[in-house]
Amino acid sequence: MDRLGTIGKSRSVRPQTAADGVTAILREAIATGTLAPGAALRQDELAREFGVSRMPVRDALRYLEAEGLVAIHPTRGAVVAAMNAADIAELYALRELLEAEALRLSMQKQNPDSLRYAAGVIEQLDRETDVGRWGQLNREFHLALYRDCGNRRLLDLIEAQHTAADRYVRIVLSNLDYRERSQDEHRSMLFACMQGDEKAAVSHLTRHFRDACTALLDYMASRER
Amino acid sequence: MDRLGTIGKSRSVRPQTAADGVTAILREAIATGTLAPGAALRQDELAREFGVSRMPVRDALRYLEAEGLVAIHPTRGAVVAAMNAADIAELYALRELLEAEALRLSMQKQNPDSLRYAAGVIEQLDRETDVGRWGQLNREFHLALYRDCGNRRLLDLIEAQHTAADRYVRIVLSNLDYRERSQDEHRSMLFACMQGDEKAAVSHLTRHFRDACTALLDYMASRER
DNA sequence: TTTGGTATTCTCGTATACGAGTATACAGAT
DNA sequence: ATCTGTATACTCGTATACGAGAATACCAAA
C-alpha cells in the first residue's frame, strides 16, 4: 500500500493539520479507486502508513464520513463506501435538482465576470489530459456558473455532491469520447448563459447530467457481467 | 453551565459512544439557545463539564461541524455557528427546493401507509405542548410524506436541513398561534396528498415554508431593534 | 500617549497508553 | 460432521501527556 504515500505529494497546497493531509490523501485514494469500495480502513494501519498517530486518522475518517466517502460502524471500524447503480441514479437526480436551481438563480444576477471566467476554464479543459485535474476544472466550470446564485448553503451542497460524484465521474472521464461530448455540452451551456436564455441553459445542464448518468450506468451494467 | 448536564438525560435512547452522547447534548443545547451563537466551545472545559476526556468532545465537535451547527477554526477552536437573516432565507429556499421535489417523487408512488402514519402524527402534534417534542414530531410528519421518494440521498439531505433549521424553528414554535397555523397547513398538505393532487400539495408545502420563513425573518428584524 | 516588540499563558493538535467490546478460532459435545 | 461455547487476539473508544502555535498582556521606546 506504499502507493498511498505518493498520491498526496503532488498537491501544492500545504495541509494545515496532519488530519487535513490524511483526509486529502485518503479522499484522492478513494476517488481513484486505489482504495476499493468495501475496503477496511484500519486506524493503526493507516497511521503507520502515513507516519502519524491514530488521532489524525480518526479525524480524517470523520471528515470522509461526512462527505459520504466512508461508512463508520462504531466499535467495528470504517470501510470505503460502496458504489452501485442506485447511488449513481440518486446522486445525479440530486445534482440535477440542485444545480438547475443554482443556475437559474445565478442567471438572474447577470454577472459577466463569472461567464468570462467559465469560458477560460473551458479552454483549459480542452488542453487538459490528466483525469484528476480535468475533474477539478470541470467542477470549477460548473461552480463558476452558479457562483452568483446568492445561496451559500446551496453552493456548499453542490460542492459536496461533486465530491461524492468524483469517484464515479473518473470512470467515464477515462473515455476521451465522453470528455469531448462533455465539452460540447459545456459550450452549449455557456452560450445559453451568455444569451440569457434560462430555459436553454437549464435544458443543456439537464442533458449534461442525463448523459453522464447513463454513461455511468451503462458502464456499471457492463461491469456486472 | 450545569444545565448542560441535565439536558441529555431525558433522551431515552442510550448513546452508543461517549462522543454520541456529547454530540446529542451539545446539539440540543445549541438548538435551545443554551449555547448562544458565537459562544466559544473549549474542549477541556466541555470535557470537564461532561466528565469525559477531550477526545469524545473533539469527535462531537466534528459531527456538529458537519451538521453546520458549529464552526471549527484549526488551532483556534470552535464556536457555535452564527444565526442571521441571510442564513434563514438560504435555508428555507433550500428546504423548499428539496422537499418539494421529494414530495413530488413520493406522491408518484402512492403509498397509503405513509399517509396514514402522517395523519397519526398530525393528531399527536395537536396534543403536544413541549416545543422540543413538537419539533421532533413536525420533522416526523414531513419525512413521512417524503419517505417513498426513492432517493436515500435526498432524504438524508432533507434531514440535515431540518437539523440545521431546528434552532431557528424553535423560536417561532414558542408562538402558539404559529403552531396552529402550521397545523392547518399540515392538514391541507395531507389532504392534497390523499387526493393525489400534486400541484396543490406542493403549493401548500411552499406556502408552509414561506410562512415559517417570514415569521422568522419578522422575529429577527424585531429582535434587531 | 501610543505603538511596537517580547514574553507568558492558554488552547489546540498529536502521540502514547490502557481498557472494553467484537470477531475469530479452536475445542468439546451432540 | 456440525453446532455451540469459550478463550484468544484484534480493533476501536477513551484517557492522559506533551509539544506547538496563537492570543494576550505587559513593558519599553518613540
Side-chain angles (χ1 to χ4, degrees):
Chain A
M1 291 256 279
D2 280 330
R3 289 163 296 167
L4 290 185
T6 63
I7 291 175
K9 293 294 195 298
S10 61
R11 290 180 175 270
S12 56
V13 288
R14 185 84 58 76
Q16 296 188 337
T17 68
D20 292 335
V22 173
T23 305
I25 297 174
L26 284 178
R27 189 188 292 123
E28 189 74 9
I30 293 172
T32 59
T34 306
L35 285 171
L41 299 167
R42 308 209 184 290
Q43 295 176 359
D44 49 3
E45 183 182 336
L46 293 171
R48 260 183 291 114
E49 185 104 18
F50 296 126
V52 297
S53 79
R54 278 171 50 212
M55 294 301 113
V57 173
R58 281 177 61 81
D59 286 348
L61 292 176
R62 305 254 180 249
Y63 283 126
L64 295 170
E65 184 193 26
E67 293 176 9
L69 295 180
V70 316
I72 298 180
H73 301 92
T75 75
R76 287 179 49 188
V79 295
V80 178
M83 290 176 75
N84 55 66
D87 189 41
I88 292 175
E90 290 185 14
L91 192 47
Y92 273 87
L94 244 185
R95 290 187 62 183
E96 198 178 310
L97 178 71
L98 294 173
E99 302 195 22
E101 175 74 359
L103 182 61
R104 274 189 292 264
L105 291 171
S106 237
M107 284 184 69
Q108 288 163 16
K109 300 291 168 57
Q110 292 270 25
N111 185 344
D113 287 344
S114 304
L115 297 185
R116 261 194 293 276
Y117 180 76
V121 176
I122 284 187
E123 289 182 19
Q124 286 184 63
L125 277 166
D126 277 330
R127 290 190 297 272
E128 186 61 65
T129 55
D130 179 78
V131 169
R133 283 199 296 271
W134 206 95
Q136 193 79 15
L137 286 170
N138 180 50
R139 169 189 304 222
E140 198 75 23
F141 170 75
H142 279 264
L143 286 175
L145 295 186
Y146 317 142
R147 182 185 296 159
D148 307 308
C149 74
N151 192 327
R152 188 60 275 145
R153 275 182 184 273
L154 179 56
L155 284 176
D156 287 346
L157 239 52
I158 288 172
E159 279 224 64
Q161 304 311 312
H162 267 268
T163 303
D166 201 26
R167 58 206 295 238
Y168 292 118
V169 171
R170 299 215 187 193
I171 296 173
V172 287
L173 284 191
S174 56
N175 184 344
L176 178 64
D177 196 51
Y178 172 82
R179 290 210 295 273
E180 283 177 3
R181 192 146 33 93
S182 200
Q183 277 284 72
D184 286 342
E185 289 163 352
H186 285 163
R187 271 183 273 267
S188 300
M189 281 171 56
L190 182 62
F191 183 75
C193 286
M194 290 192 297
Q195 300 262 313
D197 189 342
E198 193 176 292
K199 274 209 153 170
V202 171
S203 97
H204 281 126
L205 180 68
T206 302
R207 190 154 50 82
H208 187 48
F209 282 136
R210 301 269 164 91
D211 264 25
C213 189
T214 52
L216 264 172
L217 291 176
D218 285 351
Y219 179 85
M220 292 289 280
S222 71
R223 192 84 180 179
E224 292 283 308
R225 285 185 267 102
Chain B
M1 291 257 277
D2 281 330
R3 289 164 296 169
L4 290 185
T6 62
I7 290 175
K9 294 294 196 297
S10 61
R11 291 179 174 269
S12 56
V13 287
R14 185 82 61 75
Q16 296 187 336
T17 68
D20 292 335
V22 172
T23 305
I25 297 174
L26 284 178
R27 190 188 291 124
E28 189 74 9
I30 293 172
T32 60
T34 306
L35 285 171
L41 299 167
R42 307 207 187 292
Q43 295 177 357
D44 49 3
E45 184 181 336
L46 294 171
R48 262 184 289 114
E49 185 106 18
F50 296 126
V52 297
S53 79
R54 279 170 49 212
M55 293 301 115
V57 173
R58 280 177 62 82
D59 286 348
L61 292 177
R62 292 276 138 77
Y63 284 126
L64 294 171
E65 184 193 26
E67 294 176 9
L69 296 179
V70 316
I72 297 180
H73 301 92
T75 75
R76 288 179 48 187
V79 295
V80 178
M83 290 175 75
N84 55 65
D87 190 42
I88 292 176
E90 289 185 16
L91 193 46
Y92 274 86
L94 244 185
R95 290 186 62 183
E96 199 178 308
L97 179 70
L98 294 173
E99 302 195 22
E101 176 74 359
L103 183 60
R104 274 189 291 265
L105 291 171
S106 239
M107 285 183 70
Q108 288 163 15
K109 300 290 167 60
Q110 294 268 27
N111 184 346
D113 288 344
S114 304
L115 297 184
R116 261 195 293 277
Y117 179 76
V121 176
I122 285 187
E123 289 182 19
Q124 286 185 63
L125 277 165
D126 278 329
R127 293 190 297 271
E128 187 60 63
T129 55
D130 179 80
V131 169
R133 282 199 297 272
W134 206 95
Q136 193 80 16
L137 286 170
N138 180 49
R139 171 191 301 224
E140 197 76 22
F141 169 76
H142 278 264
L143 285 175
L145 295 187
Y146 317 141
R147 182 183 297 159
D148 307 309
C149 73
N151 192 326
R152 186 62 275 146
R153 274 182 184 273
L154 178 57
L155 285 176
D156 287 347
L157 239 51
I158 288 173
E159 280 224 61
Q161 305 311 313
H162 267 268
T163 303
D166 200 26
R167 56 205 297 235
Y168 292 116
V169 171
R170 300 212 187 194
I171 295 173
V172 287
L173 285 191
S174 57
N175 184 345
L176 178 63
D177 196 51
Y178 173 82
R179 290 210 296 273
E180 283 176 2
R181 193 147 34 93
S182 199
Q183 277 286 73
D184 286 342
E185 290 163 352
H186 285 162
R187 271 183 274 267
S188 299
M189 281 170 57
L190 182 62
F191 183 74
C193 286
M194 290 193 296
Q195 299 262 312
D197 189 343
E198 194 176 292
K199 274 209 154 170
V202 170
S203 96
H204 282 126
L205 180 69
T206 302
R207 188 155 51 81
H208 186 48
F209 281 135
R210 301 269 164 91
D211 264 25
C213 189
T214 53
L216 264 172
L217 290 176
D218 286 351
Y219 178 86
M220 293 289 280
S222 71
R223 191 86 182 180
E224 291 285 307
R225 284 186 267 102

